[in-house]
Amino acid sequence: MKVPVASAITEVFRSLGDFLFPPACILCGGECPGDRKICPSCENRLTERAFDYSPPPRAIKSIDRIFVLLPYDDECRTLVHAFKYHGMPSAARMAGRLMGRKTAGVIGEFRDAILVPVPLHPDRLFERGYNQSALLAEGFASFAGNRIRDDIIARTVRTPTQTALSAEERARNVSGAFRYTGDMSLGGMPVIIVDDVMTTGSTISECARALKSGGAGPVAVCVVATPDAGMD
């Protein structure tokens, strides 16, 4: 994918800033080696918290399994906002790898599933410079080895942000916003949809609908967190 000029310029200035002012951990403020955004101590703590966390059961239309990394508290919110809004893709890859590690022992029938990151609309992708869900999938695959397919569903409608919408408004907002773009049937293949935050599940459900229209078998979702409706 061609990187937008504005994003490339931003990255140059960010690299210069990191040289002049060594980066600090986004969670504790301590020193971070290399291009890391989270120090080893905080990453170890996040890992322990992730493996200890069992989310409450949920039912999402068209979704067969749900995997959640962390509870959506202040620390998790800081992590998500770092890679979603503040241009820190390495934090997304770290979270994605941890997602792969956590699900490895419980993934069952989805062990060989393809990973499908929730797509951004092309306009939003150009503005942000990257898709945070795709980076999470890269991190997941770097540990688990699953194949990533970011070319089989597309967001065809640039929907307004879901923030502050009710559950019914969110469902209407994304209804019909995704379509299957693969050139052949998935033939019952299992799929894991990867995203950062799942609130009401309306976006994930629409992605699953598009995938199943293309012949997908069981569909799971793996997300960093699931906050209460209206939180993010």
Side-chain angles (χ1 to χ4, degrees), residues 10-197:
T10 299
E11 192 60 35
V12 169
F13 279 101
R14 182 178 297 122
S15 298
L16 178 60
D18 288 348
F19 175 75
L20 296 174
F21 306 99
C25 174
I26 61 173
L27 299 181
C28 73
E31 185 177 346
C32 278
D35 63 350
R36 298 170 64 114
K37 300 301 180 183
I38 298 174
C39 70
S41 176
C42 285
E43 184 172 339
N44 289 338
R45 188 180 69 257
L46 281 177
T47 300
E48 291 177 1
R49 294 188 62 215
F51 276 85
D52 287 342
Y53 177 62
S54 296
R58 293 187 61 180
I60 303 294
K61 185 178 180 181
S62 300
I63 298 297
D64 300 289
R65 291 282 301 277
I66 298 174
F67 304 106
V68 183
L69 182 64
L70 290 162
Y72 198 62
D73 53 17
D74 288 343
E75 185 171 63
C76 182
R77 186 184 186 94
T78 298
L79 170 64
V80 171
H81 282 206
F83 60 73
K84 189 170 184 177
Y85 302 120
H86 303 311
M88 299 181 185
S90 64
R93 293 190 183 95
M94 183 280 294
R97 182 173 177 81
L98 187 51
M99 289 161 73
R101 289 178 60 190
K102 180 176 178 177
T103 60
V106 295
I107 203 166
E109 64 182 321
F110 293 96
R111 183 168 304 280
D112 298 319
I114 58 172
L115 304 178
V116 177
V118 172
L120 293 177
H121 187 273
D123 291 347
R124 188 157 291 157
L125 179 60
F126 180 83
E127 292 169 358
R128 187 169 292 171
Y130 60 86
N131 178 358
Q132 72 277 2
S133 297
L135 296 176
L136 288 167
E138 288 178 15
F140 190 113
S142 72
F143 176 83
N146 300 69
R147 186 160 55 106
I148 300 172
R149 290 295 303 271
D150 59 0
D151 59 339
I152 56 175
I153 58 170
R155 188 187 290 255
T156 57
V157 178
R158 178 167 184 172
T159 56
T161 178
Q162 299 277 74
T163 305
L165 296 182
S166 68
E168 291 184 359
E169 290 170 335
R170 286 171 182 250
R172 288 196 300 268
N173 191 38
V174 297
S175 178
F178 301 90
R179 66 180 178 87
Y180 182 71
T181 55
D183 55 5
M184 62 181 64
S185 171
L186 291 174
M189 183 180 299
V191 177
I192 299 175
I193 300 172
V194 180
D195 203 9
D196 50 9
V197 174

